[in-house]
Amino acid sequence: SSELTQDPAVSVALGQTVRVTCQGDSLRVYYASWYQQKPGQAPVLVINGKNNRPSGIPDRFSGSGSGNTASLTITGAQAEDEADYYCNSRDSRGNHFVFGTGTKVTVL
Amino acid sequence: QVQLQESGPGLVKPSQTLSLTCTVSGGSISSGSYYWSWIRQPAGKGLEWIGRIYSSGSTNYNPSLKSRVTISVDTSKNQFSLKLSSVTAADTAVYYCARGARIAVAGTNGYYFDYWGQGTLVTVSS
């Protein structure tokens, strides 16, 4: 099956902007969805579709994509944004899904 | 507000079958075009999609687990279930159930999981 690759870790200064990327062949065919996971908690959907934020997700979270890469951008990162972030997409070669390897975002 | 709750044994012996149930509340498992998935996460590792089922009973599985996985649905109880056979220590993980949906924008589809259970830890050990 396809793979979705993410940088293991990124850091951002408080109030600055950080981009988390996700690469994979399936992203040429399907949009990615993005999930935030804090320690000991279930993942929370933050972006779906082209750039849709579910109710309750701050507008500092945004999504974009080009070619085989999807991106999650946090504009004006807050301390509470420190978490692991995972992308997810349907596999372009079948009726199944794959998660990205995950990125740990640290807010300095 | 849709809520999902996993239930089942927290300890399973090697070579036996892991069985979990997800109970959906706040909405019917049969409504809409949703699908219902199982996802797992070993301690300190990433998320792994296990499989999905529609209320019709149609299923899809992760190719790497397909030979050992069965997902079923009981619409009368608003529940869906996971069975994973021949378990080993590598199957020790937090298991989540989640609701999935599709969105179409500008001719391109996207898929997402919008509601998740809190997760349940299953340990495989003798």
Side-chain angles (χ1 to χ4, degrees), chain B residues 4 10-11 14 16 48 52-53 57-58 66 82 99 106 117 120 126:
Chain B
L4 294 87
L11 181 64
Q16 294 191 342
E48 180 180 34
R52 69 170 173 179
I53 191 166
S58 174
K66 187 174 182 178
L82 168 70
R99 187 181 83 169
T120 188
S126 55

Side-chain angles (χ1 to χ4, degrees), chain B residues 22-30 73-80:
Chain B
C22 182
T23 301
V24 179
S25 59
S28 171
I29 202 170
S30 300
V73 64
D74 187 336
T75 55
S76 67
K77 294 182 178 179
N78 232 31
Q79 295 176 334
F80 63 106

Side-chain angles (χ1 to χ4, degrees), chain A residues 1 29-33 35 37 41-45 47-50 52 86 88 90 95-101, chain B residues 35 39 41 45-49 52 60-63 96 103 105-106 108-114 116-118:
Chain A
S1 61
V29 181
Y30 301 111
Y31 290 121
S33 53
Y35 303 84
Q37 187 180 34
Q41 298 183 17
V44 173
L45 176 69
I47 292 289
N48 66 67
K50 190 173 185 180
N52 295 319
Y86 294 91
N88 175 263
R90 178 173 167 173
N95 280 321
H96 53 276
F97 298 86
V98 60
F99 282 94
T101 49
Chain B
Y35 49 91
I39 295 157
Q41 185 173 38
K45 297 187 178 181
L47 299 166
E48 180 180 34
W49 181 79
R52 69 170 173 179
N60 299 107
Y61 300 129
N62 185 324
Y96 296 100
I103 184 171
V105 179
T108 299
N109 288 325
Y111 298 82
Y112 59 93
F113 303 101
D114 55 357
W116 296 63
Q118 66 185 24

